[in-house]
Amino acid sequence: MTTPRLEIDRISKRYGEVVALEEMAFDVRAGELFGFVGSNGAGKTTAMRIALGVLAADSGQVRWRGSPVDFDTRRRIGYMPEERGLYPKMKVGEQLVYLARLHGLSKAAARAAADSWTERLGVAARRNDPVEKLSLGNQQRVQLAAALIHDPEVLVLDEPFSGLDPVAVDVMSGVLTENTARGVPVIFSSHQLELVERLCDRVGIVAAGRMVACGTVDELRSGGPSQLLVHAPAAAPGWANRLPGVRVVSSDDGRAVLELEAGADDQAVLAAAAATGPVHEFAPRRPSLTDLFREVVTG
Amino acid sequence: MTPAAAKIVALVARREFDARVRTRSFVIGLLVTMLLLAGILVGPMLLGDDGEQPVAFVGGTGLAGQVRATAGQAGLELTTVELPDEAAARDQVRAGELDAAVVATSRVIVESSLEPALRAVLETSVRQQTLSAALAEQGVDPASVAAAGAPLRVEALDPPQPGADERLGIAVVVVILLYFQLITFGIAVAMGVVEEKTSRVVEVLLSTIRPWQLLLGKVLGIGAAGLLNLVVLGAVGLTVGTATGMITLTGTAVSVFAASLGWFLLGFLFFAVLYAAAGSLVSRQEEINAVTTPMTVLILIPFVIAFNSLQDPGGGLAATLAWVPPFSPILMPIQQATGNSGIALTVLAVVLMLAATAMFTWIGGRIYANAVLRTGSRVKLGEALRAGT
């Protein structure tokens, strides 16, 4: 049997004249942490809401384990919407128990789940406070607890890291990787690209309702032309300008980033650098996710 | 409904009930209304004296017996006391312990003015006594004269019902209660829907349960809170009213009140889904007033008609509209309280109301399901009716 997958199969959605999603397609495998990045309004939230059935697509299909996601499947998905998604005046503990029971847990099981998740996420002391009395970061933790309360088979989280302090970011990433370790596909959107790069197995970059790049971070980063970072402190500016097949991307205080055409000889570059004096660093440079993102979104 | 679905609806209803009833504002609101209601019932008793105090007679004139007899014929309740001297009588009148003091047979002492009814009784009594004395002097038996001049027999073509004023009073209180109940708890439904939209809880909920389950649970939960409110107010009103003697037609009062619980439920079911639909169109609490105005007006119309019809509750517009949905929940209790509703009319009104509720629940439920997940600017009614999410 193949690994269970959450498949987003060519979903489209328009609001009147505005195209929110166009043939958006990707999949998330069991145990995989999938990062969803894109500028504001690119369609990330729309795609997630469609996956959750909170919104209906105009066309396309969302499948889990090979069959279309229906109402019963959705009940086994954990969802954390952007902004808030809790009753402001309801107490933290009661709220979690309520949501757990709506998911079908018994009273006792719901209480136990609420207790253990508030404990795990460090908000146990706030169980009897109304949600609105908590700081935004703590509300976010409660929100995560709400998404996890019923041991979901799939996790879909919209901007789970926004507004969290570094400690909370660690707690959040810990919980997410823990879930992938037990075979749950986790999909989350974020603007914190370093975090996505560090955490995710695979990344999808969305622009204007389309998936423009999708793959592992390594795949994405090695996709572009190869670059070299050369640190030759004694070199005169412009030392690399005349090398064949080489373009200078940036040059700053003896550190040059060079882009090599296919077939260009990197050893010739090293020799030319060594000819200027000592070479402290000579390494292939791979674009960061941020670079890629900029390139994809602006280009 | 499957057992699982019923359980979800029950869970939602329970939360909604708790969320209303366990707030300070609900308790304070209930207490304030209870005090107001008790004030309406007890106030007149504390302020007015309504001829409850005795009338005193000074000078041993023997007039008291004659006055009691005359008052009895006129249907007035009157107690009398004999006082030895005028000074004591003046003091007691001033202290409000006496309504009036009759000195000899020629003077009456009152605090500010002599009530016309009492004046008539006293004047008749004095005249009667003088006449009797004169007749006795002439050797004629006063009783035979009295028999010859017996009071007129009145034949009324449309006799007033006993306790008509009290019935009207009960009707007014019930109409006011129902009006405020429907508006308050209808708005509560709209506010609850908007709260879920603003806080995006609705997204989390509707990824787990279906829109109709959330809507039904909400309506039932808030309806139960409304019913509790009405039961407490009614019980307080009936108890205080009966204890203070304001309510003497206890049977009528209890049955009108019991029926008003039913009318509240019918009216609430009709309006709650519409209030929810209206709430689902907007995303901010500030916009609630604008979208709920049609419902509020529909509740206000029978309220105004009710008050304009108090002169003749059994006829005219109030009686005609009493069986027309959605006016019947407010207008029917008046018909019942004033003794103008038959079983047939009541059944007709209930059936029509249920039919209207079924139809508008369908429309309202559709609007709600289509609009409740669309946050941001106000959703157009036409779009909400058409769109498939």
PDB file of all heavy atoms in Angstrom, chain B residues 287-322:
ATOM      1  N   GLU B 287     -22.993  46.250  12.852  1.00  0.00           N
ATOM      2  CA  GLU B 287     -23.904  46.171  11.706  1.00  0.00           C
ATOM      3  C   GLU B 287     -25.195  45.424  12.035  1.00  0.00           C
ATOM      4  O   GLU B 287     -26.080  45.324  11.194  1.00  0.00           O
ATOM      5  CB  GLU B 287     -23.193  45.467  10.546  1.00  0.00           C
ATOM      6  CG  GLU B 287     -22.040  46.269   9.980  1.00  0.00           C
ATOM      7  CD  GLU B 287     -21.273  45.491   8.914  1.00  0.00           C
ATOM      8  OE1 GLU B 287     -20.686  44.456   9.258  1.00  0.00           O
ATOM      9  OE2 GLU B 287     -21.277  45.905   7.757  1.00  0.00           O
ATOM     10  N   ILE B 288     -25.267  44.885  13.262  1.00  0.00           N
ATOM     11  CA  ILE B 288     -26.412  44.055  13.607  1.00  0.00           C
ATOM     12  C   ILE B 288     -27.721  44.833  13.513  1.00  0.00           C
ATOM     13  O   ILE B 288     -28.699  44.366  12.934  1.00  0.00           O
ATOM     14  CB  ILE B 288     -26.247  43.471  15.030  1.00  0.00           C
ATOM     15  CG1 ILE B 288     -25.129  42.443  15.020  1.00  0.00           C
ATOM     16  CG2 ILE B 288     -27.545  42.825  15.495  1.00  0.00           C
ATOM     17  CD1 ILE B 288     -24.890  41.795  16.349  1.00  0.00           C
ATOM     18  N   ASN B 289     -27.722  46.057  14.054  1.00  0.00           N
ATOM     19  CA  ASN B 289     -28.966  46.828  14.058  1.00  0.00           C
ATOM     20  C   ASN B 289     -29.541  46.984  12.671  1.00  0.00           C
ATOM     21  O   ASN B 289     -30.737  46.815  12.459  1.00  0.00           O
ATOM     22  CB  ASN B 289     -28.718  48.207  14.665  1.00  0.00           C
ATOM     23  CG  ASN B 289     -28.937  48.177  16.162  1.00  0.00           C
ATOM     24  OD1 ASN B 289     -29.636  47.277  16.661  1.00  0.00           O
ATOM     25  ND2 ASN B 289     -28.343  49.094  16.873  1.00  0.00           N
ATOM     26  N   ALA B 290     -28.664  47.302  11.723  1.00  0.00           N
ATOM     27  CA  ALA B 290     -29.127  47.549  10.361  1.00  0.00           C
ATOM     28  C   ALA B 290     -29.817  46.306   9.786  1.00  0.00           C
ATOM     29  O   ALA B 290     -30.893  46.414   9.197  1.00  0.00           O
ATOM     30  CB  ALA B 290     -27.955  47.967   9.485  1.00  0.00           C
ATOM     31  N   VAL B 291     -29.228  45.136   9.972  1.00  0.00           N
ATOM     32  CA  VAL B 291     -29.800  43.948   9.322  1.00  0.00           C
ATOM     33  C   VAL B 291     -30.974  43.343  10.087  1.00  0.00           C
ATOM     34  O   VAL B 291     -31.754  42.584   9.522  1.00  0.00           O
ATOM     35  CB  VAL B 291     -28.742  42.845   9.078  1.00  0.00           C
ATOM     36  CG1 VAL B 291     -27.859  43.217   7.911  1.00  0.00           C
ATOM     37  CG2 VAL B 291     -27.946  42.548  10.316  1.00  0.00           C
ATOM     38  N   THR B 292     -31.096  43.681  11.383  1.00  0.00           N
ATOM     39  CA  THR B 292     -32.195  43.061  12.133  1.00  0.00           C
ATOM     40  C   THR B 292     -33.436  43.940  12.194  1.00  0.00           C
ATOM     41  O   THR B 292     -34.455  43.532  12.747  1.00  0.00           O
ATOM     42  CB  THR B 292     -31.764  42.712  13.579  1.00  0.00           C
ATOM     43  OG1 THR B 292     -31.293  43.898  14.201  1.00  0.00           O
ATOM     44  CG2 THR B 292     -30.695  41.653  13.608  1.00  0.00           C
ATOM     45  N   THR B 293     -33.353  45.137  11.604  1.00  0.00           N
ATOM     46  CA  THR B 293     -34.501  46.054  11.660  1.00  0.00           C
ATOM     47  C   THR B 293     -35.809  45.434  11.154  1.00  0.00           C
ATOM     48  O   THR B 293     -36.843  45.598  11.799  1.00  0.00           O
ATOM     49  CB  THR B 293     -34.178  47.354  10.899  1.00  0.00           C
ATOM     50  OG1 THR B 293     -32.991  47.895  11.453  1.00  0.00           O
ATOM     51  CG2 THR B 293     -35.303  48.346  11.014  1.00  0.00           C
ATOM     52  N   PRO B 294     -35.795  44.707  10.020  1.00  0.00           N
ATOM     53  CA  PRO B 294     -37.079  44.137   9.561  1.00  0.00           C
ATOM     54  C   PRO B 294     -37.764  43.272  10.623  1.00  0.00           C
ATOM     55  O   PRO B 294     -38.977  43.380  10.834  1.00  0.00           O
ATOM     56  CB  PRO B 294     -36.666  43.277   8.361  1.00  0.00           C
ATOM     57  CG  PRO B 294     -35.383  43.852   7.887  1.00  0.00           C
ATOM     58  CD  PRO B 294     -34.695  44.414   9.085  1.00  0.00           C
ATOM     59  N   MET B 295     -37.007  42.447  11.321  1.00  0.00           N
ATOM     60  CA  MET B 295     -37.598  41.589  12.346  1.00  0.00           C
ATOM     61  C   MET B 295     -38.118  42.429  13.508  1.00  0.00           C
ATOM     62  O   MET B 295     -39.212  42.190  14.029  1.00  0.00           O
ATOM     63  CB  MET B 295     -36.565  40.592  12.882  1.00  0.00           C
ATOM     64  CG  MET B 295     -36.422  39.349  12.051  1.00  0.00           C
ATOM     65  SD  MET B 295     -35.702  39.697  10.452  1.00  0.00           S
ATOM     66  CE  MET B 295     -33.995  39.873  10.921  1.00  0.00           C
ATOM     67  N   THR B 296     -37.298  43.401  13.918  1.00  0.00           N
ATOM     68  CA  THR B 296     -37.695  44.236  15.034  1.00  0.00           C
ATOM     69  C   THR B 296     -39.001  44.961  14.716  1.00  0.00           C
ATOM     70  O   THR B 296     -39.884  45.074  15.564  1.00  0.00           O
ATOM     71  CB  THR B 296     -36.562  45.225  15.356  1.00  0.00           C
ATOM     72  OG1 THR B 296     -35.350  44.479  15.474  1.00  0.00           O
ATOM     73  CG2 THR B 296     -36.818  45.948  16.645  1.00  0.00           C
ATOM     74  N   VAL B 297     -39.139  45.426  13.480  1.00  0.00           N
ATOM     75  CA  VAL B 297     -40.375  46.101  13.086  1.00  0.00           C
ATOM     76  C   VAL B 297     -41.550  45.123  13.112  1.00  0.00           C
ATOM     77  O   VAL B 297     -42.643  45.456  13.592  1.00  0.00           O
ATOM     78  CB  VAL B 297     -40.213  46.733  11.680  1.00  0.00           C
ATOM     79  CG1 VAL B 297     -41.562  47.173  11.133  1.00  0.00           C
ATOM     80  CG2 VAL B 297     -39.248  47.905  11.739  1.00  0.00           C
ATOM     81  N   LEU B 298     -41.318  43.907  12.632  1.00  0.00           N
ATOM     82  CA  LEU B 298     -42.386  42.899  12.635  1.00  0.00           C
ATOM     83  C   LEU B 298     -42.858  42.573  14.049  1.00  0.00           C
ATOM     84  O   LEU B 298     -43.993  42.151  14.255  1.00  0.00           O
ATOM     85  CB  LEU B 298     -41.908  41.611  11.960  1.00  0.00           C
ATOM     86  CG  LEU B 298     -41.959  41.599  10.433  1.00  0.00           C
ATOM     87  CD1 LEU B 298     -41.444  40.275   9.899  1.00  0.00           C
ATOM     88  CD2 LEU B 298     -43.385  41.842   9.944  1.00  0.00           C
ATOM     89  N   ILE B 299     -41.968  42.742  15.036  1.00  0.00           N
ATOM     90  CA  ILE B 299     -42.371  42.495  16.423  1.00  0.00           C
ATOM     91  C   ILE B 299     -43.041  43.738  17.009  1.00  0.00           C
ATOM     92  O   ILE B 299     -43.968  43.649  17.816  1.00  0.00           O
ATOM     93  CB  ILE B 299     -41.146  42.077  17.281  1.00  0.00           C
ATOM     94  CG1 ILE B 299     -40.544  40.789  16.724  1.00  0.00           C
ATOM     95  CG2 ILE B 299     -41.533  41.864  18.731  1.00  0.00           C
ATOM     96  CD1 ILE B 299     -39.272  40.342  17.412  1.00  0.00           C
ATOM     97  N   LEU B 300     -42.567  44.893  16.533  1.00  0.00           N
ATOM     98  CA  LEU B 300     -43.100  46.155  17.052  1.00  0.00           C
ATOM     99  C   LEU B 300     -44.543  46.397  16.579  1.00  0.00           C
ATOM    100  O   LEU B 300     -45.373  46.904  17.349  1.00  0.00           O
ATOM    101  CB  LEU B 300     -42.196  47.309  16.593  1.00  0.00           C
ATOM    102  CG  LEU B 300     -42.524  48.697  17.144  1.00  0.00           C
ATOM    103  CD1 LEU B 300     -42.338  48.714  18.649  1.00  0.00           C
ATOM    104  CD2 LEU B 300     -41.639  49.755  16.506  1.00  0.00           C
ATOM    105  N   ILE B 301     -44.845  46.012  15.343  1.00  0.00           N
ATOM    106  CA  ILE B 301     -46.186  46.269  14.783  1.00  0.00           C
ATOM    107  C   ILE B 301     -47.301  45.697  15.676  1.00  0.00           C
ATOM    108  O   ILE B 301     -48.186  46.453  16.096  1.00  0.00           O
ATOM    109  CB  ILE B 301     -46.287  45.729  13.337  1.00  0.00           C
ATOM    110  CG1 ILE B 301     -45.454  46.617  12.397  1.00  0.00           C
ATOM    111  CG2 ILE B 301     -47.745  45.700  12.862  1.00  0.00           C
ATOM    112  CD1 ILE B 301     -45.350  46.081  10.977  1.00  0.00           C
ATOM    113  N   PRO B 302     -47.282  44.395  16.005  1.00  0.00           N
ATOM    114  CA  PRO B 302     -48.373  43.894  16.851  1.00  0.00           C
ATOM    115  C   PRO B 302     -48.380  44.529  18.234  1.00  0.00           C
ATOM    116  O   PRO B 302     -49.439  44.676  18.856  1.00  0.00           O
ATOM    117  CB  PRO B 302     -48.097  42.392  16.942  1.00  0.00           C
ATOM    118  CG  PRO B 302     -46.672  42.227  16.604  1.00  0.00           C
ATOM    119  CD  PRO B 302     -46.342  43.320  15.628  1.00  0.00           C
ATOM    120  N   PHE B 303     -47.200  44.911  18.709  1.00  0.00           N
ATOM    121  CA  PHE B 303     -47.098  45.561  20.023  1.00  0.00           C
ATOM    122  C   PHE B 303     -47.875  46.884  20.010  1.00  0.00           C
ATOM    123  O   PHE B 303     -48.675  47.169  20.904  1.00  0.00           O
ATOM    124  CB  PHE B 303     -45.614  45.790  20.331  1.00  0.00           C
ATOM    125  CG  PHE B 303     -45.339  46.392  21.676  1.00  0.00           C
ATOM    126  CD1 PHE B 303     -45.582  45.673  22.835  1.00  0.00           C
ATOM    127  CD2 PHE B 303     -44.813  47.669  21.786  1.00  0.00           C
ATOM    128  CE1 PHE B 303     -45.320  46.219  24.076  1.00  0.00           C
ATOM    129  CE2 PHE B 303     -44.537  48.225  23.025  1.00  0.00           C
ATOM    130  CZ  PHE B 303     -44.796  47.499  24.169  1.00  0.00           C
ATOM    131  N   VAL B 304     -47.657  47.669  18.965  1.00  0.00           N
ATOM    132  CA  VAL B 304     -48.345  48.954  18.843  1.00  0.00           C
ATOM    133  C   VAL B 304     -49.851  48.732  18.646  1.00  0.00           C
ATOM    134  O   VAL B 304     -50.683  49.382  19.289  1.00  0.00           O
ATOM    135  CB  VAL B 304     -47.754  49.772  17.668  1.00  0.00           C
ATOM    136  CG1 VAL B 304     -48.597  51.005  17.402  1.00  0.00           C
ATOM    137  CG2 VAL B 304     -46.318  50.158  17.967  1.00  0.00           C
ATOM    138  N   ILE B 305     -50.179  47.778  17.760  1.00  0.00           N
ATOM    139  CA  ILE B 305     -51.594  47.487  17.517  1.00  0.00           C
ATOM    140  C   ILE B 305     -52.267  47.063  18.826  1.00  0.00           C
ATOM    141  O   ILE B 305     -53.379  47.490  19.144  1.00  0.00           O
ATOM    142  CB  ILE B 305     -51.739  46.373  16.460  1.00  0.00           C
ATOM    143  CG1 ILE B 305     -51.312  46.913  15.098  1.00  0.00           C
ATOM    144  CG2 ILE B 305     -53.172  45.855  16.404  1.00  0.00           C
ATOM    145  CD1 ILE B 305     -51.322  45.886  14.008  1.00  0.00           C
ATOM    146  N   ALA B 306     -51.575  46.260  19.603  1.00  0.00           N
ATOM    147  CA  ALA B 306     -52.129  45.784  20.870  1.00  0.00           C
ATOM    148  C   ALA B 306     -52.508  46.960  21.755  1.00  0.00           C
ATOM    149  O   ALA B 306     -53.596  47.006  22.325  1.00  0.00           O
ATOM    150  CB  ALA B 306     -51.121  44.884  21.576  1.00  0.00           C
ATOM    151  N   PHE B 307     -51.609  47.946  21.841  1.00  0.00           N
ATOM    152  CA  PHE B 307     -51.889  49.053  22.738  1.00  0.00           C
ATOM    153  C   PHE B 307     -52.983  49.980  22.200  1.00  0.00           C
ATOM    154  O   PHE B 307     -53.692  50.617  22.954  1.00  0.00           O
ATOM    155  CB  PHE B 307     -50.602  49.823  23.061  1.00  0.00           C
ATOM    156  CG  PHE B 307     -49.922  49.213  24.228  1.00  0.00           C
ATOM    157  CD1 PHE B 307     -49.026  48.167  24.064  1.00  0.00           C
ATOM    158  CD2 PHE B 307     -50.241  49.614  25.511  1.00  0.00           C
ATOM    159  CE1 PHE B 307     -48.446  47.550  25.155  1.00  0.00           C
ATOM    160  CE2 PHE B 307     -49.664  49.008  26.606  1.00  0.00           C
ATOM    161  CZ  PHE B 307     -48.766  47.975  26.428  1.00  0.00           C
ATOM    162  N   ASN B 308     -53.101  50.043  20.873  1.00  0.00           N
ATOM    163  CA  ASN B 308     -54.169  50.867  20.313  1.00  0.00           C
ATOM    164  C   ASN B 308     -55.531  50.195  20.409  1.00  0.00           C
ATOM    165  O   ASN B 308     -56.558  50.818  20.186  1.00  0.00           O
ATOM    166  CB  ASN B 308     -53.857  51.196  18.852  1.00  0.00           C
ATOM    167  CG  ASN B 308     -52.785  52.265  18.760  1.00  0.00           C
ATOM    168  OD1 ASN B 308     -52.672  53.109  19.654  1.00  0.00           O
ATOM    169  ND2 ASN B 308     -51.982  52.207  17.723  1.00  0.00           N
ATOM    170  N   SER B 309     -55.528  48.900  20.716  1.00  0.00           N
ATOM    171  CA  SER B 309     -56.795  48.173  20.690  1.00  0.00           C
ATOM    172  C   SER B 309     -57.347  47.912  22.081  1.00  0.00           C
ATOM    173  O   SER B 309     -58.310  47.176  22.235  1.00  0.00           O
ATOM    174  CB  SER B 309     -56.596  46.840  19.976  1.00  0.00           C
ATOM    175  OG  SER B 309     -55.879  45.969  20.826  1.00  0.00           O
ATOM    176  N   LEU B 310     -56.713  48.501  23.090  1.00  0.00           N
ATOM    177  CA  LEU B 310     -57.122  48.156  24.453  1.00  0.00           C
ATOM    178  C   LEU B 310     -58.573  48.555  24.755  1.00  0.00           C
ATOM    179  O   LEU B 310     -59.215  47.969  25.612  1.00  0.00           O
ATOM    180  CB  LEU B 310     -56.172  48.784  25.476  1.00  0.00           C
ATOM    181  CG  LEU B 310     -54.794  48.125  25.503  1.00  0.00           C
ATOM    182  CD1 LEU B 310     -53.906  48.762  26.549  1.00  0.00           C
ATOM    183  CD2 LEU B 310     -54.907  46.628  25.755  1.00  0.00           C
ATOM    184  N   GLN B 311     -59.087  49.576  24.038  1.00  0.00           N
ATOM    185  CA  GLN B 311     -60.473  49.974  24.244  1.00  0.00           C
ATOM    186  C   GLN B 311     -61.429  48.861  23.822  1.00  0.00           C
ATOM    187  O   GLN B 311     -62.459  48.654  24.425  1.00  0.00           O
ATOM    188  CB  GLN B 311     -60.792  51.240  23.442  1.00  0.00           C
ATOM    189  CG  GLN B 311     -60.012  52.472  23.872  1.00  0.00           C
ATOM    190  CD  GLN B 311     -60.203  52.788  25.336  1.00  0.00           C
ATOM    191  OE1 GLN B 311     -61.324  52.706  25.854  1.00  0.00           O
ATOM    192  NE2 GLN B 311     -59.120  53.099  26.037  1.00  0.00           N
ATOM    193  N   ASP B 312     -61.035  48.183  22.754  1.00  0.00           N
ATOM    194  CA  ASP B 312     -61.926  47.165  22.210  1.00  0.00           C
ATOM    195  C   ASP B 312     -61.100  45.993  21.688  1.00  0.00           C
ATOM    196  O   ASP B 312     -60.970  45.794  20.478  1.00  0.00           O
ATOM    197  CB  ASP B 312     -62.752  47.783  21.063  1.00  0.00           C
ATOM    198  CG  ASP B 312     -63.668  46.745  20.437  1.00  0.00           C
ATOM    199  OD1 ASP B 312     -63.974  45.738  21.099  1.00  0.00           O
ATOM    200  OD2 ASP B 312     -64.065  46.951  19.277  1.00  0.00           O
ATOM    201  N   PRO B 313     -60.514  45.224  22.602  1.00  0.00           N
ATOM    202  CA  PRO B 313     -59.579  44.185  22.171  1.00  0.00           C
ATOM    203  C   PRO B 313     -60.248  43.085  21.346  1.00  0.00           C
ATOM    204  O   PRO B 313     -59.585  42.398  20.584  1.00  0.00           O
ATOM    205  CB  PRO B 313     -59.013  43.635  23.488  1.00  0.00           C
ATOM    206  CG  PRO B 313     -59.968  44.049  24.538  1.00  0.00           C
ATOM    207  CD  PRO B 313     -60.667  45.282  24.056  1.00  0.00           C
ATOM    208  N   GLY B 314     -61.562  42.943  21.491  1.00  0.00           N
ATOM    209  CA  GLY B 314     -62.224  41.831  20.801  1.00  0.00           C
ATOM    210  C   GLY B 314     -62.568  42.139  19.354  1.00  0.00           C
ATOM    211  O   GLY B 314     -63.038  41.270  18.636  1.00  0.00           O
ATOM    212  N   GLY B 315     -62.359  43.397  18.916  1.00  0.00           N
ATOM    213  CA  GLY B 315     -62.753  43.716  17.554  1.00  0.00           C
ATOM    214  C   GLY B 315     -61.651  44.456  16.840  1.00  0.00           C
ATOM    215  O   GLY B 315     -60.585  44.703  17.400  1.00  0.00           O
ATOM    216  N   GLY B 316     -61.875  44.826  15.597  1.00  0.00           N
ATOM    217  CA  GLY B 316     -60.925  45.639  14.864  1.00  0.00           C
ATOM    218  C   GLY B 316     -59.665  44.900  14.459  1.00  0.00           C
ATOM    219  O   GLY B 316     -59.621  43.670  14.413  1.00  0.00           O
ATOM    220  N   LEU B 317     -58.642  45.706  14.220  1.00  0.00           N
ATOM    221  CA  LEU B 317     -57.388  45.202  13.672  1.00  0.00           C
ATOM    222  C   LEU B 317     -56.748  44.137  14.558  1.00  0.00           C
ATOM    223  O   LEU B 317     -56.244  43.116  14.083  1.00  0.00           O
ATOM    224  CB  LEU B 317     -56.427  46.391  13.510  1.00  0.00           C
ATOM    225  CG  LEU B 317     -55.297  46.242  12.495  1.00  0.00           C
ATOM    226  CD1 LEU B 317     -55.866  45.841  11.136  1.00  0.00           C
ATOM    227  CD2 LEU B 317     -54.517  47.542  12.401  1.00  0.00           C
ATOM    228  N   ALA B 318     -56.769  44.387  15.880  1.00  0.00           N
ATOM    229  CA  ALA B 318     -56.101  43.465  16.803  1.00  0.00           C
ATOM    230  C   ALA B 318     -56.707  42.073  16.699  1.00  0.00           C
ATOM    231  O   ALA B 318     -55.994  41.067  16.687  1.00  0.00           O
ATOM    232  CB  ALA B 318     -56.212  43.984  18.230  1.00  0.00           C
ATOM    233  N   ALA B 319     -58.045  42.011  16.602  1.00  0.00           N
ATOM    234  CA  ALA B 319     -58.697  40.708  16.531  1.00  0.00           C
ATOM    235  C   ALA B 319     -58.439  40.042  15.180  1.00  0.00           C
ATOM    236  O   ALA B 319     -58.252  38.836  15.093  1.00  0.00           O
ATOM    237  CB  ALA B 319     -60.194  40.862  16.755  1.00  0.00           C
ATOM    238  N   THR B 320     -58.399  40.856  14.116  1.00  0.00           N
ATOM    239  CA  THR B 320     -58.175  40.296  12.787  1.00  0.00           C
ATOM    240  C   THR B 320     -56.759  39.745  12.658  1.00  0.00           C
ATOM    241  O   THR B 320     -56.545  38.648  12.139  1.00  0.00           O
ATOM    242  CB  THR B 320     -58.385  41.379  11.706  1.00  0.00           C
ATOM    243  OG1 THR B 320     -59.574  42.083  12.023  1.00  0.00           O
ATOM    244  CG2 THR B 320     -58.478  40.761  10.332  1.00  0.00           C
ATOM    245  N   LEU B 321     -55.803  40.534  13.118  1.00  0.00           N
ATOM    246  CA  LEU B 321     -54.404  40.126  12.944  1.00  0.00           C
ATOM    247  C   LEU B 321     -53.967  39.082  13.961  1.00  0.00           C
ATOM    248  O   LEU B 321     -52.870  38.550  13.866  1.00  0.00           O
ATOM    249  CB  LEU B 321     -53.486  41.353  13.035  1.00  0.00           C
ATOM    250  CG  LEU B 321     -53.580  42.340  11.866  1.00  0.00           C
ATOM    251  CD1 LEU B 321     -52.598  43.482  12.053  1.00  0.00           C
ATOM    252  CD2 LEU B 321     -53.317  41.635  10.533  1.00  0.00           C
ATOM    253  N   ALA B 322     -54.830  38.797  14.940  1.00  0.00           N
ATOM    254  CA  ALA B 322     -54.432  37.871  16.004  1.00  0.00           C
ATOM    255  C   ALA B 322     -54.120  36.483  15.466  1.00  0.00           C
ATOM    256  O   ALA B 322     -53.372  35.735  16.073  1.00  0.00           O
ATOM    257  CB  ALA B 322     -55.526  37.776  17.057  1.00  0.00           C
TER     258      ALA B 322
END
